[in-house]
Amino acid sequence: MASLNVGNLGEYLREQRRTAQLSLRQLAEAAGVSNPYLSQIERGLRKPSAEVLQQVAKALRISAETLYVRAGILDERDREELETRAVILADPSINERQKQVLLQIYDSFRKENGSDADSGGSGAGAAGTGSSEL
């Protein structure tokens, strides 16, 4: 399973690098990894660590979580949550404090709904109190 994910990751990284109009050498330098190592990742020969993926994501200005899922570090079922977080963090119309508050509210709703799912409860009561604090 890991080798399939690594290949998928490599193809995705190559596509993102080309979209960003960066050479392999430029991306390697921006991410702080060696050119041959990055080449091996793109060709699916190496499975990078989460730290390396974070550096590459930062250099490409994409979500590190997306790379984690593609590399098999995070479970695919967490993808929706990660995409929601990425959208919140990428929104230029709100400041960093507001982004963190939104993420905290989002986490509390997910926790509440996760624990209430078994008992059939509703999260409607928390929605009113959470939104009034913004």
Side-chain angles (χ1 to χ4, degrees):
M1 182 173 119
S3 61
L4 293 175
N5 284 341
V6 174
N8 184 24
L9 170 68
E11 292 169 17
Y12 181 76
L13 282 177
R14 183 177 297 118
E15 179 183 310
Q16 293 300 310
R17 178 177 57 78
R18 289 180 177 163
T19 299
Q21 298 180 335
L22 293 171
S23 71
L24 189 66
R25 206 174 293 277
Q26 289 170 320
L27 178 56
E29 184 176 322
V33 299
S34 74
N35 186 37
Y37 182 61
L38 186 58
S39 175
Q40 290 173 344
I41 294 170
E42 280 194 1
R43 291 182 287 142
L45 302 175
R46 295 271 185 171
K47 183 174 181 178
S49 68
E51 182 179 322
V52 168
L53 288 175
Q54 186 174 19
Q55 291 169 229
V56 170
K58 185 175 181 182
L60 287 171
R61 297 182 181 180
I62 61 175
S63 164
E65 289 82 4
T66 300
L67 296 184
Y68 296 160
V69 170
R70 289 191 176 263
I73 294 172
L74 286 177
D75 198 322
E76 183 69 31
R77 66 179 175 239
D78 295 330
R79 184 178 207 102
E80 285 182 18
E81 175 188 355
L82 297 174
E83 288 175 351
T84 300
R85 290 177 180 283
V87 169
I88 291 170
L89 292 171
D91 189 335
S93 66
I94 58 177
N95 66 39
E96 290 304 312
R97 186 191 63 78
Q98 292 167 329
K99 291 175 185 180
Q100 292 307 311
V101 169
L102 275 175
L103 289 172
Q104 288 172 353
I105 292 169
Y106 178 67
D107 286 341
S108 70
F109 285 161
R110 286 184 50 84
K111 183 182 269 186
E112 179 180 322
N113 290 341
S115 62
D116 285 351
D118 295 339
S119 62
S122 169
T129 58
S131 60
S132 66
E133 295 187 44
L134 293 177

